[in-house]
Amino acid sequence: MDVKANIENPFPGEVHPTPTGGVLVTAIDDVINWARSNSLWPLVFGTSCCAIEMMSTASAKYDWSRFGFEVARATPRQADVIIIAGTIVNKMAPVLKRLYDQMADPKYVIAMGACATSGGPFFYNTYSVVKGADHVIPVDVYIAGCPPRPEALLHALITLQKKIKSGLTREQIRMAKPE
Amino acid sequence: MTNDELKIKLSELVPTIAFEEAAVQAIPPGWLNVSVEPKDWHGFAKSLRYQPELSFDYLFCETCVDWKTHLTMVYHLESTQHRHIIVIKSKLDRNKSDIETVSDIWKTAEFHEREVYELFGVNFLNHPDLRLLILPEGWEGRNPLRKDFEDPVNVVKL
């Protein structure tokens, strides 16, 4: 689904007008995905300088609440998406894993910046840095940059929305295919 | 006190101390660099802290450097009354790096020395609580900031 289709087709379904109102024809999975993607609550989680860019994205100038991300939650129980904004060190990895496990399904992960993607500037000659957060938890969207600009984070969040709208969640796919 | 006045005063206190050449001190910020033997350090530190005309009451940096041949402890001191600053350096043996703690003189040194202990393996004598600060348990004896530190599990060498 490209952006143009998104604008032309804001709601997944057809409305058939009748004299007393209308009839809505849609698929419930599409409606659920539409609702989920437009109300993604990020977890307050930042481990280094990417977090400053993330805060900037939340500020009035970039204003990620335009897309439904405004309710940053300080508890994983109420968050839908975790933005890994910064370096993950070996000591932080079990904490990140625990936060992810505490989030309710469906949950999504964005790896923001070089450190969260691959270890970035700390890939070589470092004893303490995890070489990519995807060694710890599964990642949905990666963003390049050190740190990425707020526009890049917004683009990643919109990409995640498209991903959610395009199909099933990870848990649904797992349940459909028994191991 | 100016650097020259400090030089005269400190030489009187401990005759064995040495000063780095003027060229080093001409580089901004122009702090006076003093070298002291580890065995003289604790007594020297006490004089620096408690003599009224010196009164270095603020230890704003304590760290260590690994030069491969030896270690150097580095202390940055400032007096909040007189606003003079000095840098103290003390050369340590790499294999037997013992130096007296200054945490009884400047309380902040307690954490600084724990950090130097875990990263460089410097043994601070008479430290009240010498254990790892940030590194996880089991890192004793492996000092990441030593130049010969090897970690085949975590380190990708370039």
Side-chain angles (χ1 to χ4, degrees):
Chain A
M1 196 189 292
D2 61 8
V3 178
K4 205 174 159 214
N6 248 334
I7 296 161
E8 285 170 358
N9 219 351
F11 184 79
E14 290 171 30
V15 178
H16 297 278
T18 60
T20 51
V23 175
L24 173 68
V25 181
T26 183
I28 196 72
D29 279 350
D30 291 347
V31 176
I32 290 170
N33 283 342
W34 170 82
R36 274 178 186 155
S37 64
N38 285 306
S39 163
L40 283 170
W41 293 7
L43 181 68
V44 179
F45 182 80
T47 43
S48 51
C49 34
C50 277
I52 304 296
E53 294 298 302
M54 187 175 74
M55 289 175 234
S56 178
T57 316
S59 74
K61 185 162 177 176
Y62 295 97
D63 193 18
W64 67 12
S65 57
R66 291 178 293 161
F67 309 100
F69 309 113
E70 71 270 36
V71 201
R73 292 279 118 173
T75 164
R77 310 269 182 211
Q78 298 170 350
D80 302 303
V81 54
I82 178 167
I83 300 167
I84 308 170
T87 320
I88 301 299
V89 294
N90 289 333
K91 216 175 166 181
M92 193 67 196
V95 182
L96 176 64
K97 176 75 168 69
R98 172 175 278 200
L99 283 171
Y100 180 74
D101 288 345
Q102 286 177 336
M103 283 164 68
D105 287 334
K107 49 196 171 186
Y108 307 97
V109 181
I110 292 175
M112 182 181 181
C115 292
T117 304
S118 69
F122 307 107
F123 185 83
Y124 291 110
N125 300 333
T126 314
Y127 63 95
S128 59
V129 175
V130 177
K131 277 115 194 130
D134 49 8
H135 287 292
V136 187
I137 57 174
V139 175
D140 290 288
V141 182
Y142 297 85
I143 320 173
C146 186
R149 286 191 57 86
E151 291 92 329
L153 179 57
L154 283 176
H155 181 254
L157 288 160
I158 292 165
T159 306
L160 179 63
Q161 287 186 327
K162 281 190 214 162
K163 186 175 177 175
I164 293 167
K165 280 177 190 160
S166 68
L168 301 172
T169 65
R170 186 179 289 115
E171 290 71 29
Q172 284 168 334
I173 293 166
R174 197 179 292 149
M175 276 162 71
K177 279 193 291 185
E179 284 166 23
Chain B
M1 265 194 236
T2 64
N3 281 356
D4 292 329
E5 287 166 343
L6 276 172
K7 259 187 184 177
I8 297 161
K9 173 75 188 161
L10 299 182
S11 306
E12 285 168 8
L13 277 174
V14 184
T16 55
I17 59 169
F19 298 96
E20 277 177 25
E21 63 272 34
V24 174
Q25 280 155 25
I27 302 164
W31 295 332
L32 185 65
N33 279 245
V34 186
S35 305
V36 63
E37 288 290 319
K39 62 177 169 49
D40 298 331
W41 166 230
H42 194 260
F44 184 45
K46 268 199 165 148
S47 326
L48 290 173
R49 172 66 186 86
Y50 295 113
Q51 291 212 358
E53 67 270 43
L54 295 171
S55 110
F56 284 99
D57 51 4
Y58 180 28
L59 175 68
F60 67 91
C61 180
E62 175 178 357
T63 187
C64 187
V65 184
D66 186 359
W67 293 99
K68 289 187 179 174
T69 51
H70 60 275
L71 299 172
T72 303
M73 280 300 301
V74 185
Y75 302 81
H76 286 69
L77 295 169
E78 179 170 12
S79 167
T80 54
Q81 291 167 34
H82 308 302
R83 286 290 165 200
H84 48 217
I85 292 175
I86 54 167
V87 184
I88 319 276
K89 294 177 182 173
S90 193
K91 205 169 152 180
L92 298 178
D93 194 295
R94 253 173 138 264
N95 299 317
K96 201 181 174 304
S97 46
D98 294 345
I99 191 164
E100 199 72 29
T101 180
V102 288
S103 57
D104 52 336
I105 303 167
W106 297 280
K107 189 70 178 166
T108 184
E110 199 175 316
F111 270 30
H112 282 108
E113 285 176 354
R114 276 175 66 184
E115 193 180 10
V116 171
Y117 162 74
E118 67 175 10
L119 295 175
F120 290 94
V122 174
N123 182 30
F124 292 95
L125 305 169
N126 300 323
H127 190 283
D129 184 24
L130 196 63
R131 59 193 163 90
L132 298 179
L133 179 65
I134 294 166
L135 290 177
E137 278 176 42
W139 276 81
E140 285 88 352
R142 297 164 67 209
N143 310 112
L145 291 194
R146 287 251 185 150
K147 294 289 182 191
D148 57 358
F149 175 76
E150 292 283 344
D151 187 343
V153 177
N154 293 308
V155 173
V156 180
K157 275 196 173 179
L158 185 63

